Amino acid sequence: MDSESSLLAYLVPRLTSRGEDTATDALAFILNKSEACRGALDSLLSEQGFDLEPITRFVTQVTHEDGSRPDMVGYDSDGNKRLLVESKFWAALLEGQASGYFSQLEAFGPGVLLFIAPGTRIETLWAEIRRQMETGEDPVLLESGATLERMRTARAGTDKLLILASWDLLLERLAAAVSADSQLASDIQQLGGFVEQQDLDAFHPIQREELNPSLARRMRWFNQLIDDILVKAVEQRWASTRGFRASTLRAGYWRNFRFVSDPDRGASHKFSLCVDLDLWAEVGDTPVWIWAETESDPNRRLRDSDLAVSEDAGWLYVPVHLKTGVEYQHVLEDAVLQLRRIAGIVVS
């Protein structure tokens, strides 16, 4: 899902920092509005052979006598608490939160404690939830259930179920239950865009292979590539770095330069050739980018070209795509050709 298509994803961070509360309120709105969505949730909760009374009403931020406040409570037609929901993005699970919420389910009859979290957090969060359940003040003996790609389950006795499901799994089930061109589908898409945006900049658990020193060496080579591209461009006399020094960014490495059509004549406005980790992560599949201001006529020609240009707040961002599976010299030569093509657009 394209997070930029979601108005909710755009507005909420500008209005509040309570992303988990916002997502839960939106989810409760959708479920209370749609019987089909409630049925899809019931199906998800019951598909491991667990018989749960249908949930007919959802209320958020219900404060219990001990002061705890699960994000959402689901009630059956008789007003019994059959479902407690805790929504997570990347905030830590408070000590005792899992076992405390579990104890708030109705003593008699079926009940489910549901945690919803990003898919990339399933493995680590499930281990913490189980630890809290099994080692708290009132330990709960859990019988492991399904271990699916985006969901974990465990039973406590015959009529209580613990579930951790990913946001994308839940929203896929809700979307499949409604007409694709309905307002409900649009509401679910809005929530999906917001969830995706919340996950975009989060700290994901470090994987062992990410600590491989080859990654650090690769980053050094990307920085070297920036220098070598500009050396070639200056040697070929269609770019100049005179008066500019290399500098580092919060998320990368930066070299300023100008395009020139004739070494004895004027030069273009300032450009920047960067290793930009933010753009790499959020916009395109390359670490190397060219920055250009949009205010000049030549740069507007660049914006109107057939290059894959992104634009934001007065800046153009042009990706320099890197060849793969070839020796460094071929990577360098191809990148220089891409920069030369941009020079042909900007400098008349």
Side-chain angles (χ1 to χ4, degrees), residues 19-170:
E20 291 166 348
D21 289 349
T22 299
T24 308
D25 286 338
L27 179 60
F29 172 82
I30 291 168
L31 293 169
N32 283 322
K33 185 178 179 180
S34 170
E35 183 178 357
C37 288
R38 293 194 296 273
L41 176 60
D42 288 340
S43 177
L44 178 66
L45 300 178
S46 303
E47 64 185 22
Q48 303 304 319
F50 186 79
D51 186 19
L52 181 68
E53 294 291 327
I55 307 299
T56 60
R57 182 169 61 95
F58 295 85
V59 181
T60 59
Q61 309 302 329
V62 177
T63 302
H64 292 268
E65 293 180 358
D66 62 359
S68 63
R69 189 180 63 180
D71 289 330
M72 185 167 69
V73 177
Y75 298 89
D76 65 16
S77 58
D78 294 324
N80 297 309
K81 290 183 293 186
R82 296 302 179 193
L83 174 67
L84 294 179
V85 178
E86 181 65 14
S87 301
K88 289 294 183 187
F89 291 121
W90 291 94
L93 189 66
L94 300 178
E95 189 61 42
Q97 196 170 29
S99 56
Y101 287 165
F102 194 81
S103 67
Q104 294 170 8
L105 291 168
E106 299 286 355
F108 301 100
V112 175
L113 174 58
L114 170 65
F115 287 86
I116 313 171
T120 48
R121 197 182 178 189
I122 292 292
E123 183 177 351
T124 54
L125 184 58
W126 183 241
E128 174 61 15
I129 290 171
R130 291 204 59 149
R131 183 194 69 79
Q132 288 195 12
M133 295 290 292
E134 296 173 339
T135 64
E137 292 184 3
D138 298 307
V140 178
L141 180 62
L142 296 176
E143 179 183 347
S144 296
T147 300
L148 306 176
E149 180 182 359
R150 295 180 290 174
M151 187 167 75
R152 303 286 189 273
T153 67
R155 287 200 184 214
T158 59
D159 60 358
K160 297 294 186 291
L161 187 65
L162 178 67
I163 298 179
L164 171 60
S166 70
W167 276 104
D168 58 345
L169 174 62
L170 174 59

Side-chain angles (χ1 to χ4, degrees), residues 174-186:
L174 300 186
V178 302
S179 174
D181 59 355
S182 66
Q183 180 60 52
L184 277 167
S186 177

Side-chain angles (χ1 to χ4, degrees), residues 4 276 278-280 282-286 289-294 299 302-321:
E4 292 183 356
D276 192 316
D278 287 333
L279 287 172
W280 189 11
E282 299 172 16
V283 180
D285 57 350
T286 178
W289 294 79
I290 297 168
W291 285 35
E293 293 182 285
T294 59
N299 291 359
L302 179 61
R303 180 186 58 196
D304 296 336
S305 71
D306 61 352
L307 297 173
V309 177
S310 298
E311 184 174 355
D312 178 57
W315 290 91
L316 298 177
Y317 308 114
V318 184
V320 177
H321 296 288

